[in-house]
Structure formats: C-alpha cells, structure tokens
Amino acid sequence: MNVHDSEKIAAKLIEQGYNLTDDINFADLILFNTCSIRQKAEQKFYSELGKVKLIKRKKPQLKIAVAGCIAQQEGRAFKKKRPFVDIILGTQNIDQLDTLLNGGIAIDQKDDVNALELTAERQDKVKAFVNIMFGCNNYCSYCVVPYTRGRERSRSSQSILNEIQELGTAGYKEITLLGQNVNSYKSDCSFPKLLSLIHQIEGIERIRFVTSHPKDLDDDLIDTMSQLQKVCNHIHLPLQSGSNAIIKAMNRIYTYEQFKEKTIKLRKTIPEIAITSDIIAGFPGETDSDHNQTITALKEIQFDGIYAFKYSKRPKTKAATMDGHIDEEIKVNRLKEILEVQELTTGNINKKLEGNIFNVMVEGRSETNKNRWCGRTTSNKIVNFDPLPSLIPFAGMFIDIKIIQGFRHSLDGEIVKP
Ligand code: SF4
C-alpha cells in the first residue's frame, strides 16, 4: 500500500515540475512516506529524519515533507516538535500535495474515495498495483491501520476496470489488487464478481490480491479463484497465532480450527496453491503453551512462507494497554523458533518442486547475479535461471522453466527449450 502511495506522490510531484533523484544531495525536496505498523519502522524513519535535518542546516531552502501513517498518527504535534519539517501529509491527502509545496499540513480523513483515485508514476513496466479499497473496519487489537487509514471504503468496479484496462493497453501483464482486507470489498459488486470482470481484460495475464482476512474468505471466493485461470495460485492469509485465546485477544474473529479448515478447502480446490501467512511472536499475555500452539499450527498447516515479527506496541491500540506484555528476550527467542520451524517447512516444500516445470513471468535480471534472470511462478515463488543463446528473456515474457534446485527463499531452474 505504501509503495503504491509513493508512486502516487511521485506522479503528483512530477506534475508540478519535479524530477526524481536517487542522490539526496541534489534534492530540493525530500519526502518520507512513512510506515508505523511496527516500532522498528518508526525508529528507522526518525533516524533518517535526523540525518536530513543536518543537510537542511547547510541548505536552508531544502523542503522536508513527511507523509504516510506517522504523519497521520502524529498530526500537528509532529510539526510542533520538529519545526524544520515543512510539509505534513496524511494518508488520505496526497491529492493536496500540490497546494502544500511551500509548506503546510493536510491530515483530514476523507470518506470520498474519488480523492484517493490518483495517477501513479509506476516504476515497474509489467507489474502494477491497483487499489480496490482503502481503510479497515476490523480493529485487530494490535493494529494501528484503522486509526491511520480510516474506515473501509471501496472503489466502484467501473473505476477499477477503467484503470486496469489502461494498464493492459500500456503493456502491463500482472496486477496486484490492494486493500487492507480485499475480500471484504463492497461496492456495486462482490469481490469474486470483480475478479471475474477483471479476468476479461485483454493484456492482463495474472491477477494477484493482498491482503485477505480469514474471516471473509468464503467458498465463493475459493471457487472463483479455481475457475479463473488468470487469478494466481497464491493467497496470503494471516493467521497471527495458533492459540485460540490469543486469536480472540487479537480480535481476529476466527478460531484456529476454522482457519485450518479454510486452508484444507483451498488446497483441495486449488491443489497447486501456495499459502503464506503472518505470525506475531509474543503478543501480550502469550504463554509458553500459546506459543507452542503456534509452533504446532505451523507444522500442521505447512505454509509456503511466513512474515513473522515480534509484537510491537502501537499507539491508540487496545493491545498496547493490555496486561502481560512479554519480555523482549522471550519475544526474541519465540520469534527465532517460529522462523526456524518455518524455514525448514519452506525448504522442504521448495525441494519437492524439483523436476517440475512452471510457467514463469520474467521480472528482470536476478538480484544476486546480473548475468542471470529471475521471474515468478503463479504461486509467487521466485525462480532464478540462465538465458539461452537462442532465447534472451525480457521483463513480461512468459517462459517454461524446469526447477533444478529448491532453496529456502528461491528456486533455481533452467529454460525448457521451446
Ligand atoms: S484486518 Fe489487517 S489492517 Fe485491518 S485491523 Fe486487522 S491487521 Fe490491521
């Protein structure tokens, strides 16, 4: 969500005559698009802001802007504490950036989704993010998002389809539908219906979406995913904990058993699906037994991958005021165990893929070796491979790759000669 917001911010600045630069010393304006989902992201931002403050001392005409969730959360108090910051821009105020370029604050929450439907300066030429909804109504007890991004608002299907149609015409092959909780999309049609409308758009070959709330994942969506060939074989379904007591304290509105049932149904209906998840280690009140239930859940469900983090206290959230906050050392140890168990599972799952042939969409040169190429399977696995003298890949090309070796974080393959 933040990456795509940055693309919208960039488009707004380019409209006003700015160019993007990678060199901070050339910048006339430095804009931070901040994230406050975890304390660590906030700390990193404040440390970078401190460095930029020093640059401004030597170059007083430099404008400093802070956008995103920290700007929204801290509001006017942020500017009071840090007068050297010129612009404060809330999560729903990107459309006002052009009126603030000489300094100012815009942090009002907006109900009108039209104000959020902005042109984006996309860096990638084959993959694109598309917002389908904004905000969240779920109030998971640890999460700051409902406070920083407001209540749920869905875009009209026509507006979404128009944007994707333009992307298809411009040569984009893959779109990722964005929302804090995409499967609670509510507009003039349901989320499964929206997927089937997007499926008809020419040029778009792959449709992904993030993130899904387990409570809103129903049979209709699972069946639609299995029937629509362009919808990728991957779902990110955050479990957060394997203990029902902790899931309840998190206000997640499902039980572990219900969650597991959904993963079974997903795998039965879409046998090649990859399921990934999020886990929080050391939520307030989490006992050793709760933690062990998470470990059991990871072993039972066998996710393809997880994002796991230590619980981090967020302002305004219910969990921040709960009793039983866990010692840092215990959180570190629990996280370590969670990651170790998952690494083993991911390694085993990827090993089993050796010998299989997958259709891969090429994304570009490999990050670790520029002589090689990389792409993704529909199940979102990264595949690295060598080009052939007779077949030089390019971004957006679809190519069959035989998996030679499965690692924990990627697969190694070779092009299947056409
Ligand atoms: S559903 Fe996701 S975004 Fe919404 S409150 Fe829960 S964790 Fe936060």
Side-chain angles (χ1 to χ4, degrees):
M1 192 69 82
N2 266 31
V3 169
H4 190 40
D5 281 351
S6 295
E7 293 176 338
K8 293 178 184 176
I9 289 170
K12 205 77 196 152
L13 289 171
I14 289 167
E15 259 172 49
Q16 295 302 310
Y18 282 84
N19 293 313
L20 301 176
T21 174
D22 287 334
D23 190 336
I24 210 166
N25 298 308
F26 285 139
D28 302 305
L29 176 132
I30 296 172
L31 186 145
F32 292 92
N33 189 19
T34 60
C35 170
S36 65
I37 200 83
R38 280 182 293 276
Q39 215 166 9
K40 205 168 168 188
E42 274 198 32
Q43 285 163 351
K44 206 168 159 192
F45 156 66
Y46 283 116
S47 136
E48 291 302 315
L49 186 64
K51 291 182 203 160
V52 167
K53 183 182 175 186
L54 298 179
I55 300 179
K56 185 158 176 155
R57 265 196 205 145
K58 290 188 206 138
K59 193 176 162 185
Q61 75 280 18
L62 172 71
K63 294 269 185 266
I64 300 177
V66 177
C69 288
I70 297 177
Q72 188 69 51
Q73 195 176 285
E74 302 291 321
R76 291 172 200 283
F78 187 96
K79 170 90 178 139
K80 249 191 192 156
K81 275 190 246 162
R82 298 166 191 86
F84 64 94
V85 173
D86 302 282
I87 303 163
I88 309 279
L89 191 70
T91 53
Q92 292 149 71
N93 307 91
I94 298 172
D95 60 318
Q96 290 160 266
L97 178 56
D98 49 355
T99 64
L100 299 176
L101 288 171
N102 288 322
I105 302 178
I107 48 164
D108 47 310
Q109 305 244 5
K110 294 175 180 172
D111 288 334
D112 181 11
V113 285
N114 294 328
L116 305 171
E117 295 190 1
L118 302 170
T119 311
E121 177 67 17
R122 293 183 165 92
Q123 298 301 303
D124 201 294
K125 298 297 170 221
V126 292
K127 297 194 304 177
F129 291 120
V130 176
N131 290 109
I132 63 165
M133 59 185 299
F134 306 93
C136 184
N137 287 350
N138 286 315
Y139 290 94
C140 300
S141 62
Y142 52 82
C143 181
V144 74
V145 167
Y147 306 97
T148 57
R149 290 198 176 262
R151 309 305 303 263
E152 259 177 38
R153 289 140 293 155
S154 296
R155 289 175 71 186
S156 75
S157 60
Q158 198 49 56
S159 163
I160 297 168
L161 294 171
N162 289 347
E163 182 175 350
I164 299 176
Q165 198 105 44
E166 279 175 27
L167 291 167
T169 309
Y172 282 86
K173 302 281 178 227
E174 179 182 301
I175 50 139
T176 300
L177 307 176
L178 292 178
Q180 251 75 38
N181 185 10
V182 283
N183 44 9
S184 79
Y185 172 81
K186 267 181 219 79
S187 180
D188 46 296
C189 70
S190 66
F191 183 56
K193 175 74 186 161
L194 180 69
L195 288 176
S196 63
L197 293 171
I198 296 170
H199 196 263
Q200 294 163 24
I201 296 178
E202 234 173 275
I204 300 299
E205 303 292 340
R206 283 185 173 184
I207 305 166
R208 299 188 186 277
F209 53 86
V210 277
T211 291
S212 308
H213 194 301
K215 77 172 165 57
D216 296 313
L217 175 69
D218 58 15
D219 289 355
D220 189 15
L221 178 57
I222 298 177
D223 293 339
T224 305
M225 286 178 76
S226 79
Q227 285 152 16
L228 301 178
Q229 166 262 325
K230 290 182 184 177
V231 175
C232 289
N233 287 339
H234 172 227
I235 190 161
H236 186 71
L237 204 58
L239 170 64
Q240 309 296 13
S241 168
S243 152
N244 282 335
I246 297 298
I247 294 172
K248 190 159 181 238
M250 287 175 167
N251 192 31
R252 293 285 290 169
I253 326 181
Y254 50 81
T255 62
Y256 169 61
E257 291 73 23
Q258 288 165 338
F259 183 98
K260 194 174 142 195
E261 201 47 49
K262 292 193 184 197
T263 61
I264 293 170
K265 168 94 204 235
L266 276 164
R267 286 182 171 137
K268 205 166 149 204
T269 318
I270 313 163
E272 289 188 352
I273 198 162
I275 306 175
T276 53
S277 197
D278 295 332
I279 300 288
I280 296 173
F283 184 81
E286 187 187 73
T287 60
D288 282 343
S289 155
D290 293 318
H291 168 67
N292 288 337
Q293 288 171 55
T294 299
I295 297 295
T296 306
L298 293 175
K299 290 178 181 167
E300 281 182 352
I301 294 181
Q302 301 264 308
F303 292 112
D304 287 73
I306 58 165
Y307 295 98
F309 297 95
K310 288 179 293 175
Y311 166 78
S312 153
K313 223 183 208 180
R314 299 291 66 214
K316 292 191 190 160
T317 60
K318 201 171 161 206
T321 61
M322 284 179 180
D323 292 335
H325 281 266
I326 308 289
D327 281 353
E328 193 58 20
E329 199 187 332
I330 297 176
K331 282 199 257 182
V332 168
N333 289 338
R334 287 183 183 168
L335 177 64
K336 192 167 165 266
E337 192 185 353
I338 286 167
L339 291 173
E340 278 169 7
V341 169
Q342 184 56 44
E343 292 252 304
L344 214 62
T345 306
T346 304
N348 288 340
I349 291 176
N350 288 350
K351 207 111 214 94
K352 283 194 195 134
L353 299 178
E354 291 173 3
N356 287 300
I357 294 173
F358 291 103
N359 194 247
V360 164
M361 187 180 96
V362 180
E363 294 190 349
R365 301 273 180 182
S366 165
E367 295 237 321
T368 46
N369 178 347
K370 295 291 168 203
N371 295 322
R372 308 193 78 206
W373 288 78
C374 87
R376 267 171 216 262
T377 63
T378 161
S379 57
N380 210 30
K381 309 241 180 215
I382 296 171
V383 186
N384 293 302
F385 58 95
D386 292 316
L388 293 176
S390 58
L391 206 161
I392 306 297
F394 56 86
M397 180 187 206
F398 287 87
I399 195 164
D400 280 341
I401 305 275
K402 183 175 178 180
I403 305 307
I404 303 301
Q405 221 175 340
F407 301 110
R408 283 182 182 169
H409 301 291
S410 64
L411 305 170
D412 228 43
E414 60 184 27
I415 296 176
V416 176
K417 284 189 190 137

